[in-house]
Amino acid sequence: MSSFLHRIPAPPGEGPLAAVKDNIDVAGMPTTAGCPSFAYTPAADAEAVRRLRSWGARIIGKTSLDQFATGLVGTRCAVPAINAFDATRIPGGSSSGSGVAVATGEVAVALGTDTAGSGRVPAALNNIVGFKPTCGWVSTTGVVPACRSLDCVSVFSRSVQEGWAALTAIA
């Protein structure tokens, strides 16, 4: 990744642009979980990504994360995201790339994960909405686990309405 958002051309359509944390499988795009030597290229989308696409979202890339989703500051990355408001402040959470991609307007929604705050801390520190659903409400099939019994796929957005729409689409 050359930046916190490894970007591909936007697919055609009218749906919202979306990004996916790099521990969630997107068919044909490498999943690294922030560790290049772990990388693999999945043949299928994670269930949450499949449902996000069915909702009409257009995936434009994968976002950086604290390696293996184990951090709350967002700086344990090969290519760290920068706080959207103040470069001297941390972007927060292992889902920092997803949070910053929404906060900077690169995408309307982004998927992250939340085991211990990674879907909420980057939202708070970048002035956006972060939804952490109840464990089990959104499938974690196709997600590299940090702690399988506590992991959740989270949603970042600029508004509650937009985030709720995306969350209910992937649930």
Side-chain angles (χ1 to χ4, degrees):
M1 274 190 265
S2 59
S3 74
F4 73 92
L5 174 63
H6 178 69
R7 208 178 159 99
I8 61 170
E14 297 297 319
L17 296 181
V20 177
K21 184 176 177 179
D22 192 21
N23 66 335
I24 303 172
D25 290 347
V26 175
M29 295 186 75
T31 296
T32 71
C35 180
S37 63
F38 174 80
Y40 63 92
T41 302
D45 286 336
E47 182 62 18
V49 171
R50 186 190 66 75
R51 290 178 180 203
L52 192 66
R53 287 187 201 269
S54 293
W55 178 59
R58 298 177 296 142
I59 309 296
I60 65 159
K62 302 277 292 270
T63 60
S64 64
L65 68 149
D66 281 339
Q67 194 172 67
F68 293 109
T70 56
L72 279 177
V73 295
T75 59
R76 293 185 47 220
C77 311
V79 183
I82 305 298
N83 183 290
F85 296 98
D86 184 346
T88 67
R89 308 255 181 210
I90 61 170
S94 71
S95 297
S96 57
S98 293
V100 171
V102 170
T104 58
E106 293 201 51
V107 295
V109 297
L111 297 184
T113 58
D114 192 318
T115 303
S118 299
R120 295 160 286 158
V121 174
L125 295 178
N126 289 282
N127 197 34
I128 60 171
V129 175
F131 280 104
K132 178 190 180 181
T134 302
C135 284
W137 197 42
V138 175
S139 172
T140 55
T141 300
V143 176
V144 176
C147 178
R148 196 173 301 280
S149 64
L150 298 174
D151 292 338
C152 295
V153 174
S154 58
V155 173
F156 294 96
S157 64
R158 287 174 284 207
S159 73
V160 170
Q161 296 82 2
E162 202 168 35
W164 182 251
L167 181 60
T168 57
I170 68 172

